[in-house]
Amino acid sequence: MVTIKQVSEKAGVSSATVSRVINNTGTVKEKTRELVMAAMAELGYRHNVVAASLASNKTHTIGYVVPELHGSFFGAMMGGTEQALREAKKHMLIATGHSDAQIEKEQIDALLSRRCDALILHVEAVSDEYLVNLVDQGVELVVVNRFIEEIGDNCISLDNIKGGYLASRHLLDIGHTQIAYIAGSLFKADGKNRLTGHQQALADMGVEYTDNLIYEGNFQAKSGTEGIRALVARGAKFTAVACANDEMASGAMIALRELGRRVPEDVSVIGFDNVDFASYLSPGLTTIDYPVQKIGSMAAHWVLERVYGHTRHEYQHILSPRLILRGTTSSPEQ
Amino acid sequence: MVTIKQVSEKAGVSSATVSRVINNTGTVKEKTRELVMAAMAELGYRHNVVAASLASNKTHTIGYVVPELHGSFFGAMMGGTEQALREAKKHMLIATGHSDAQIEKEQIDALLSRRCDALILHVEAVSDEYLVNLVDQGVELVVVNRFIEEIGDNCISLDNIKGGYLASRHLLDIGHTQIAYIAGSLFKADGKNRLTGHQQALADMGVEYTDNLIYEGNFQAKSGTEGIRALVARGAKFTAVACANDEMASGAMIALRELGRRVPEDVSVIGFDNVDFASYLSPGLTTIDYPVQKIGSMAAHWVLERVYGHTRHEYQHILSPRLILRGTTSSPEQ
DNA sequence: ATAAAAAATGAAAGCGCTTACAATTGTAAC
DNA sequence: GTTACAATTGTAAGCGCTTTCATTTTTTAT
């Protein structure tokens, strides 16, 4: 491996100068720069970022923890981040937490050991205190899709309550009053908040809330299918079903079809997230848009501004969901 | 930041010994180990992997280049890799190449500058020669979803020709003879090979091939929709349509529905990839399974065995696709 | 032409760790 | 108690770069 030293000898300058041209810092005469560039090219020099990181105490690397890699949600989010980061020549070190507190901590630890300049965390099992504590220790981190009061400045999240509200409010607005709800895992903040929004919408419109119309799923498609079956089995009557995410909504649609209930003629269905396949379903799934890519890029901007001092990057902390009307909702038949 | 030096002083040993207990190398007396561990705990020591990497010339990091992060394909693949890598305490540095040769090269370069121990590359724009050249230079890399003769040992890919064959053969077997084909981008090997498979199946069954039934899409859902429209507009007659991926198949289904053609009663549809949402469509999409997660884990095993000398890791170079029967194909009506 | 200021460069001390190699200590056999 | 050998620990030389500070060169103003 050719080093800066060899380049400097070939160019007849000191290694400090070579470092200057590589990093474009300090001042170096145009003539010298060319000399160095030529030497680098001739020797096939490749900058050693590891050594540079050790010396400069900057890795230009962002640690990223997500629960899982599969599915289209996190890919979209990381895609948003990557796009913003690439321009700034930063890289992402990826780790998965699997919604397990132990693993999440280990991964955060590993990323810190690798001296990431900042962390972007979508973690669901670790406690608020743990994260607050990290921030207090001076760790530069941004928490995505989760809001923690004490470190609100470090959080970028969606207003899930509002999203849940919007979904059910839409159903109510077009005339439904018997609305089943297939919730996500309620131990996750998202699952809880979306349900809360649903309840608020009912309350606002004076519709009574009943546990009999609620089924707790786990955000997987299959639990949507099971949800419908369970609801029907327990004799629940409904003309619409709101689901805490699109996967469960698609699962629900499958179950409804099995039961001979047409969507949306017999039962309206609304999802949440607006993942890419929502529009591929037929009818297209009416849902709540989760601007996940945007959240990813906001996180990148946060880091760029706060950690690397780039200005001109703007970001908001709480994003708003919005209704995406497609074909799975309609007014109940009389 | 507390260093190994401080730990060594607190524990009353040399820094070499501390390094030994951290890395679990060499021999260190149990008593000493405990002393060191205690000192580390007390001082809140955190290993500096950057410094370790510089000294040992190993980063325990795998560079990963994929075209894009969004969608469910690459997430599934990276998920397969991550799972295998996590056990071995390796990490992944992610970069996207955007199917652009220039960008792909830059990203590979950047990953190499960061001294990744190995690279896993899904690159589509860069030439075979370029990759062969890298291997010749001693870069440890595995190319996924692409086969290059000269470095076949470094490739892990799916037999796309066979996949294309399987899909069309299925349609032929159940009685279709008028089969439209919506291809992927033909400048990509996958797109080309799948079409080749289709043609072979036709030939095998003695069905004449005609360009009139072919539409070149770009792997996006929308181009599936456009494909059907174009085919119909040009007066093509078909009772089945094979698509080079599931996205286009779902786009095609939308177009067919718009035209009042039922799936599968009027037109059978088959996709390719078996992405997660294929089963959410209705009817469920018959497709060709692309064991993408498995490819991801094979790539990890390749690296673990070849670069890190872990044995017990097995991998194959060419994986086989298989038919997944769901609801979008049936025999043509008489 | 000359002094003062600015620009360009070099010398060298780290950054925090790994890893030969040397030195020391412990152990078992005689 | 010795000796030979194994187990344990320490010494110190890097790994390849950045960066401060001092030095030299160039430029500008007088």
Side-chain angles (χ1 to χ4, degrees):
Chain A
M1 211 78 276
V2 16
T3 73
I4 219 180
K5 188 85 191 315
Q6 299 169 43
V7 173
S8 74
E9 281 161 7
K10 173 138 230 146
V13 298
S14 74
S15 62
T17 299
V18 176
S19 174
R20 288 188 186 101
V21 351
I22 289 171
N23 298 294
N24 203 22
T25 62
T27 67
V28 17
K29 219 194 306 188
E30 186 51 30
K31 191 88 176 288
T32 319
R33 173 186 310 283
E34 281 164 13
L35 230 52
V36 172
M37 299 285 249
M40 295 201 301
E42 191 168 343
L43 295 174
Y45 173 74
R46 169 164 282 148
H47 191 47
N48 186 327
V49 174
V50 173
S53 294
L54 177 59
S56 68
N57 202 30
K58 281 233 162 305
T59 55
H60 303 284
T61 300
I62 317 300
Y64 215 130
V65 180
V66 292
E68 306 287 348
L69 253 16
H70 63 251
S72 40
F73 190 88
F74 296 112
M77 182 167 79
M78 298 190 314
T81 306
E82 201 272 344
Q83 192 168 6
L85 250 30
R86 188 157 57 83
E87 295 170 12
K89 303 236 184 247
K90 309 302 179 197
H91 276 87
M92 312 191 308
L93 205 46
I94 306 278
T96 58
H98 300 280
S99 307
D100 176 297
Q102 180 63 29
I103 300 178
E104 286 178 354
K105 286 183 187 176
E106 285 173 10
Q107 297 285 36
I108 290 173
D109 233 56
L111 295 175
L112 255 18
S113 278
R114 279 158 189 270
R115 293 300 189 268
C116 288
D117 294 334
L119 303 183
I120 295 176
L121 306 175
H122 178 131
V123 286
E124 351 195 82
V126 117
S127 71
D128 283 3
E129 290 70 35
Y130 180 79
L131 294 168
V132 171
N133 200 28
L134 281 179
V135 172
D136 288 346
Q137 285 171 39
V139 175
E140 299 280 7
L141 63 84
V142 32
V143 176
V144 288
N145 305 317
R146 172 168 173 175
F147 182 75
I148 301 173
E149 189 83 44
E150 298 95 309
I151 50 172
D153 240 34
N154 302 65
C155 298
I156 292 175
S157 61
L158 183 79
D159 189 339
N160 275 294
I161 296 181
K162 184 169 174 191
Y165 182 92
L166 246 37
S168 296
R169 181 61 194 258
H170 166 61
L171 295 172
L172 290 160
D173 283 347
I174 60 177
H176 294 275
T177 53
Q178 297 176 303
I179 304 176
Y181 189 86
I182 298 181
S185 315
L186 292 177
F187 73 89
K188 294 187 182 177
D190 285 10
K192 207 165 40 192
N193 290 335
R194 291 173 187 188
L195 174 56
T196 300
H198 167 67
Q199 292 166 329
Q200 287 183 1
L202 292 180
D204 267 20
M205 300 297 282
V207 173
E208 195 189 354
Y209 168 81
T210 154
D211 277 345
N212 195 45
L213 283 171
I214 306 294
Y215 176 86
E216 180 179 351
N218 61 3
F219 285 125
Q220 314 266 346
K222 196 171 292 177
S223 75
T225 305
E226 288 159 1
I228 291 296
R229 288 183 189 144
L231 253 4
V232 168
R234 71 167 83 137
K237 299 284 178 226
F238 54 89
T239 61
V241 50
C243 302
N245 76 353
D246 293 342
E247 274 83 358
M248 293 195 299
S250 74
M253 283 169 69
I254 288 171
L256 288 168
R257 202 163 287 118
E258 281 174 10
L259 294 167
R261 308 252 234 142
R262 293 166 302 162
V263 176
E265 293 82 353
D266 301 326
V267 180
S268 286
V269 174
I270 188 167
F272 201 120
D273 280 351
N274 192 26
V275 297
D276 51 12
F277 70 77
S279 61
Y280 303 163
L281 300 177
S282 76
L285 181 63
T286 292
T287 188
I288 300 297
D289 185 52
Y290 196 132
V292 57
Q293 184 169 347
K294 190 164 180 184
I295 286 191
S297 68
M298 295 276 131
H301 289 171
W302 187 99
V303 170
L304 256 16
E305 180 178 324
R306 304 267 300 237
V307 178
Y308 296 110
H310 295 200
T311 52
R312 83 176 170 68
H313 285 285
E314 291 177 5
Y315 54 87
Q316 327 160 226
H317 288 291
I318 309 239
L319 305 193
S320 272
R322 64 200 170 85
L323 180 67
I324 303 289
L325 273 175
R326 292 205 183 89
T328 55
T329 53
S330 68
S331 295
E333 297 190 337
Q334 302 311 327
Chain B
M1 212 77 273
V2 16
T3 72
I4 221 181
K5 189 85 192 314
Q6 298 170 42
V7 172
S8 74
E9 280 161 8
K10 172 138 230 147
V13 297
S14 74
S15 62
T17 298
V18 176
S19 174
R20 289 187 186 101
V21 351
I22 290 171
N23 297 295
N24 202 22
T25 62
T27 67
V28 18
K29 220 195 305 188
E30 185 52 29
K31 192 86 174 290
T32 318
R33 174 186 309 282
E34 282 164 13
L35 230 53
V36 172
M37 299 286 249
M40 294 201 300
E42 189 167 344
L43 295 175
Y45 173 75
R46 169 164 282 148
H47 190 48
N48 186 328
V49 174
V50 173
S53 293
L54 177 59
S56 68
N57 201 30
K58 280 232 163 305
T59 55
H60 302 285
T61 300
I62 317 299
Y64 216 131
V65 180
V66 292
E68 306 287 347
L69 253 15
H70 64 249
S72 40
F73 190 89
F74 297 112
M77 181 167 80
M78 297 191 313
T81 307
E82 200 274 343
Q83 192 169 5
L85 251 29
R86 188 157 57 83
E87 295 170 12
K89 304 233 184 250
K90 308 302 178 197
H91 277 86
M92 312 190 309
L93 205 47
I94 307 278
T96 58
H98 300 279
S99 306
D100 177 297
Q102 181 63 28
I103 301 179
E104 286 178 354
K105 286 183 188 177
E106 285 174 9
Q107 297 285 35
I108 289 173
D109 233 56
L111 295 175
L112 255 18
S113 278
R114 279 157 188 269
R115 294 301 190 266
C116 289
D117 294 335
L119 302 184
I120 295 176
L121 307 175
H122 178 131
V123 285
E124 353 195 80
V126 118
S127 71
D128 284 2
E129 290 70 34
Y130 180 79
L131 294 169
V132 171
N133 200 27
L134 281 179
V135 172
D136 287 346
Q137 284 171 40
V139 174
E140 299 279 8
L141 64 84
V142 31
V143 176
V144 288
N145 305 317
R146 172 168 172 175
F147 182 76
I148 301 173
E149 189 83 43
E150 298 95 310
I151 51 172
D153 239 34
N154 302 65
C155 298
I156 293 176
S157 61
L158 182 79
D159 189 338
N160 276 294
I161 296 182
K162 184 168 172 190
Y165 183 91
L166 246 38
S168 296
R169 180 61 194 257
H170 165 61
L171 295 173
L172 290 160
D173 283 347
I174 60 177
H176 295 275
T177 52
Q178 297 176 302
I179 305 176
Y181 190 86
I182 298 182
S185 314
L186 293 177
F187 72 89
K188 295 187 182 177
D190 285 10
K192 206 165 39 190
N193 289 336
R194 292 173 187 187
L195 174 57
T196 301
H198 167 69
Q199 293 167 328
Q200 287 183 0
L202 292 179
D204 267 20
M205 300 297 280
V207 173
E208 196 189 354
Y209 168 80
T210 154
D211 278 344
N212 194 47
L213 283 171
I214 305 294
Y215 175 86
E216 179 179 351
N218 61 4
F219 286 125
Q220 314 267 346
K222 195 173 291 177
S223 75
T225 305
E226 288 159 2
I228 292 295
R229 288 182 189 146
L231 254 4
V232 169
R234 71 168 83 136
K237 300 284 178 226
F238 54 88
T239 61
V241 49
C243 301
N245 76 353
D246 293 343
E247 274 82 358
M248 292 194 299
S250 74
M253 283 167 70
I254 289 171
L256 288 168
R257 203 163 287 117
E258 281 174 10
L259 294 167
R261 307 253 234 142
R262 293 166 303 162
V263 175
E265 293 82 354
D266 301 325
V267 180
S268 286
V269 175
I270 188 166
F272 201 120
D273 280 351
N274 191 27
V275 297
D276 51 12
F277 70 76
S279 61
Y280 303 163
L281 299 177
S282 76
L285 181 64
T286 291
T287 188
I288 300 297
D289 185 51
Y290 196 133
V292 57
Q293 183 169 347
K294 189 164 182 184
I295 286 190
S297 69
M298 294 277 131
H301 289 170
W302 187 98
V303 170
L304 256 17
E305 180 179 324
R306 303 267 300 237
V307 179
Y308 296 112
H310 294 200
T311 51
R312 83 176 170 66
H313 285 286
E314 292 176 5
Y315 54 87
Q316 329 159 226
H317 288 291
I318 308 239
L319 306 193
S320 270
R322 64 199 171 87
L323 179 67
I324 302 289
L325 273 175
R326 294 205 183 89
T328 54
T329 53
S330 68
S331 295
E333 297 190 334
Q334 303 311 326

